[in-house]
Amino acid sequence: MAEEIQTNTAEKRTKPVVWLEATLGLAAAIVLFSMMTVTLVDVVGRYAFNAPLPSGYELIQLGMALLVFLVLPILTARDEQVRIDIFQRLLPPWLRPYFRLASLALSLIVILGFAWLLWRRGASFVVSGETTSNLSMPLAPLAFFIAASWVATAIIVAVQPLYWHNPGDSGNAR
Amino acid sequence: MIAAGSGFIALFLLLAVGVPLGFAMALVGFVGFGLLVNFEAASYSVGQIVFDNVMNYGFSVLPLFILMGNFVARSRLAEELFAAADAFVGHRRGGLAMATILACGGFSSVCGSSVATAATMVKIGLPPMRRRGYADSLATAAIAAGGTLGILIPPSTVMVIFGILTGTDIGKLFAAGIVPGAIAVLCLLAAVGVATAMKPEIGPGGVKQGWAQRLQALKQIWGILVLFVLVMGGIYFGIFTATEAAGIGAAGAFGFVILRRLLGWRDLRRTLIETARTTALMFVILFGALIFSNFIEAAGLPTALSRWITNLDVAPLIVILAIIAIYLVLGCALESISMVLLTVPIFFPIAMGLKFDPLWFGILVVVVTEISMITPPVGLNIFVINAMAPEVPAGVVIRGLVPFIAAEVVLVLLLVFVPQMATFLPSLMQ
């Protein structure tokens, strides 16, 4: 599912989801609202006062990275990643939990891989001392933050089976 | 070719096991690239793809346009659009279905997503159609089909992704979508006309409203007009970039819901988090698709395919028709964003090699993607209807969709034979 479907039905949110939304979610909300405000101030400043916001461009870039990786763990906790589930529906019910476990294990490998590779990227930024061009913000902390987000995601995936109340259910079967 | 083929087989196996799409593409892409080139290069490129794309200024247009659509969805502007359309055409046979399509078209001009458009219109269009005794098949299909306008009428998330993938100007792509979008509305209206002419009982007419009421209803839609003119006008006349337009559109829509006192703190937070989640969802697929295309490129598939097609020595038109046919088949099984991400890196160079216009090709991709959203078994808009009106069986929706799918195919053919539909407006921009 590439996009959120707003349904009328009450959301069923597990405890971790509620907690994550109150912390990381709130932070992401603030980042997004700031991105909107920065763009507005930048354009209005440019035309009305002939004074664009200095480094608005870089703030937006930074905002994007924060936005995506603040909510990645929430997305995963809500099990919202896009799956093509036509195959699973064809499976006999007793086989589904095994497939689900296999998909979880494979996902975990990918997520930890992402974490490791982004960590390495951060380490290379430390060595090169690379910064953003305008504000001279070092890039290394950002790469480490992204790696940390993947680690958090990995932890969430690893504990997911604890929240499977219905073992016959094949995940977000849409 | 063997490498690419095994890659696709591995990808389908992972998807069959139930691995999320983005992760499956990333895994196959990484391993494939590692085996073909080496794992040091593969590791480096994954880090680079994730970091550089999430820091890509151009992509910030996605969350901001999604945010704008989410604010608009809360603003009651869609209700007013429907009321205005209803005042003009609602009394006709199938009139409420036509009003739904018109309202979808209007809503799409301030919302870049088909799913959001369909989800918003289910709540608004379905109850009045039910009250008047419309068949569920027509009522739900009109919403699912009308919803697809979300990505064709600018702004459009699919155009943004196409633009960034191919280096095509997003503002010009938006301009290119306007005329085909309007024609798409006409095609869908015609589909309602044909369906109700064949079976009048599925969409009974109603009482005609007077001109006083019509003008009254029309006055209410100024909000949408202001937003559309602000955003698209700003882009079209080069006052600001697509990204800036997205920020301004979101701020404008935010202003609307605040002025109308329709947004409390909780709603605001929910809307922002929802938007962030949708964005991150797209990014996970984006990372996966880019890593996978890296591998496909290293395996030489696009080049081999291009060479093969050039050597075939068939008319370029035949190639385009073949690409469309591939899209229609793929569209049944793939979700829209991933279909665009996976296919554009392969087909775009072919289309450019045959000297087609990039903007035209972009709009063509968007229209076939629209069709993919209403073709079973994986049609996103069918799922939306199913999630929000679960009492209507998917089979009923799909049966109702047949005339609309036919209308969209007509639109594709129109676009193929009259490419000026897409290229005329952007040609006037500086």
Side-chain angles (χ1 to χ4, degrees):
Chain A
M1 198 91 338
E3 287 170 52
E4 163 82 355
I5 295 178
Q6 302 169 331
T7 52
N8 301 331
T9 48
E11 284 183 287
K12 47 171 201 255
R13 299 194 300 174
T14 54
K15 249 200 191 126
V17 171
V18 174
W19 185 80
L20 286 169
E21 290 203 338
T23 51
L24 296 180
L26 183 63
I30 294 168
V31 168
L32 180 56
F33 197 83
S34 314
M35 284 169 69
M36 181 181 93
T37 318
V38 164
T39 319
L40 184 70
V41 171
D42 192 16
V43 175
V44 171
R46 190 171 70 213
Y47 282 102
F49 309 104
N50 205 13
L53 194 69
S55 319
Y57 188 91
E58 271 176 26
L59 289 176
I60 295 285
Q61 283 184 310
L62 182 69
M64 275 305 285
L66 290 177
L67 183 71
V68 169
F69 286 103
L70 279 170
V71 287
L72 180 68
I74 302 180
L75 203 67
T76 312
R78 296 176 60 122
D79 202 12
E80 286 182 327
Q81 307 277 12
V82 180
R83 292 197 173 86
I84 311 284
D85 63 353
I86 29 180
F87 310 102
Q88 279 98 47
R89 285 190 211 163
L90 303 174
L91 289 175
W94 64 269
L95 210 59
R96 286 181 197 168
Y98 297 100
F99 270 65
R100 210 171 166 189
L101 271 179
S103 105
L104 211 66
L106 288 163
S107 300
L108 202 57
I109 293 172
V110 176
I111 294 167
L112 288 171
F114 271 121
W116 165 238
L117 295 175
L118 267 298
W119 184 267
R120 277 187 36 171
R121 188 144 187 97
S124 79
F125 284 145
V126 170
V127 174
S128 67
E130 227 169 299
T131 63
T132 63
S133 48
N134 229 328
L135 290 171
S136 304
M137 281 182 301
L139 289 178
L142 196 59
F144 288 135
F145 161 75
I146 297 175
S149 166
W150 284 112
V151 171
T153 305
I155 295 170
I156 287 164
V157 169
V159 300
Q160 230 162 36
L162 300 177
Y163 292 90
W164 290 352
H165 297 303
N166 182 1
D169 168 34
S170 67
N172 63 347
R174 281 179 189 147
Chain B
M1 272 320 226
I2 295 169
S6 351
F8 275 107
I9 292 170
L11 179 63
F12 282 117
L13 285 177
L14 287 177
L15 292 177
V17 173
V19 178
L21 184 64
F23 296 163
M25 290 190 290
L27 186 58
V28 177
F30 175 77
V31 173
F33 193 89
L35 292 174
L36 279 178
V37 186
N38 64 60
F39 279 95
E40 192 45 45
S43 306
Y44 181 79
S45 83
V46 168
Q48 194 182 31
I49 283 172
V50 172
F51 199 82
D52 291 0
N53 282 291
V54 85
M55 290 284 280
N56 182 332
Y57 178 76
F59 276 129
S60 64
V61 72
L62 285 177
L64 293 172
F65 269 135
I66 296 168
L67 182 62
M68 172 175 166
N70 283 346
F71 279 142
V72 171
R74 287 192 184 272
S75 68
R76 303 240 172 99
L77 289 168
E79 278 92 335
E80 287 153 11
L81 272 173
F82 181 79
D86 180 22
F88 279 87
V89 298
H91 61 282
R92 292 166 179 270
R93 191 170 61 201
L96 288 178
M98 293 178 180
T100 302
I101 301 229
L102 288 171
C104 282
F107 190 75
S108 302
S109 69
V110 288
C111 175
S113 136
S114 286
V115 170
T117 305
T120 307
M121 290 311 299
V122 174
K123 286 179 244 169
I124 298 161
L126 197 54
M129 285 195 268
R130 285 218 164 124
R131 276 198 297 276
R132 201 182 285 174
Y134 272 48
D136 277 344
S137 60
L138 174 64
T140 52
I143 297 165
T148 64
L149 294 169
I151 54 167
L152 179 57
I153 298 178
S156 154
T157 50
V158 174
M159 286 183 202
V160 170
I161 290 173
F162 179 90
I164 293 176
L165 277 183
T166 62
T168 312
D169 186 287
I170 292 170
K172 286 191 174 162
L173 272 170
F174 282 1
I178 294 178
V179 174
I183 294 174
V185 171
L186 295 178
C187 288
L188 294 179
L189 289 177
V192 175
V194 170
T196 49
M198 283 160 67
K199 280 191 196 162
E201 70 279 7
I202 60 174
V207 186
K208 200 169 176 173
Q209 300 193 26
W211 276 98
Q213 283 160 298
R214 287 179 177 179
L215 292 177
Q216 190 57 38
L218 204 57
K219 267 190 217 154
Q220 299 287 321
I221 65 168
W222 64 273
I224 292 270
L225 277 177
V226 167
L227 274 180
F228 179 73
V229 169
L230 183 71
V231 170
M232 284 313 297
I235 295 177
Y236 194 81
F237 295 106
I239 300 170
F240 33 72
T241 65
T243 307
E244 291 168 346
I248 288 177
F254 175 67
F256 260 104
V257 279
I258 291 295
L259 279 179
R260 296 183 162 197
R261 298 177 193 283
L262 289 169
L263 194 77
W265 276 113
R266 271 187 58 158
D267 293 334
L268 174 62
R269 209 184 72 173
R270 250 187 85 167
T271 308
L272 288 166
I273 297 181
E274 240 167 55
T275 306
R277 289 211 320 266
T278 307
T279 309
L281 207 59
M282 288 187 179
F283 264 93
V284 172
I285 300 175
L286 183 82
F287 297 145
L290 291 175
I291 294 167
F292 189 75
S293 339
N294 243 7
F295 152 62
I296 291 297
E297 221 147 280
L301 184 67
T303 340
L305 214 55
S306 281
R307 199 172 305 145
W308 181 67
I309 285 172
T310 326
N311 288 343
L312 271 186
D313 201 30
V314 291
L317 183 67
I318 304 293
V319 178
I320 287 294
L321 290 175
I323 290 179
I324 292 171
I326 295 173
Y327 268 118
L328 292 181
V329 174
L330 276 181
C332 292
L334 273 179
E335 172 277 337
S336 56
I337 300 274
S338 38
M339 181 168 91
V340 171
L341 285 167
L342 277 178
T343 57
V344 165
I346 299 174
F347 291 151
F348 186 74
I350 297 177
M352 292 308 99
L354 297 171
K355 306 274 182 281
F356 284 104
D357 184 278
L359 295 171
W360 171 82
F361 187 71
I363 300 302
L364 189 70
V365 168
V366 172
V367 175
V368 290
T369 307
E370 270 191 283
I371 300 179
S372 82
M373 306 189 98
I374 50 171
T375 44
V378 186
L380 274 189
N381 282 8
I382 301 173
F383 293 145
V384 175
I385 305 283
N386 207 248
M388 301 189 62
E391 67 285 359
V392 183
V396 171
V397 186
I398 292 165
R399 219 176 313 130
L401 276 168
V402 173
F404 295 102
I405 295 171
E408 301 248 11
V409 172
V410 170
L411 177 66
V412 170
L413 294 177
L414 274 175
L415 193 59
V416 168
F417 291 105
V418 194
Q420 291 80 0
M421 270 164 64
T423 54
F424 175 68
L425 270 187
S427 73
L428 300 179
M429 292 166 75
Q430 309 92 336

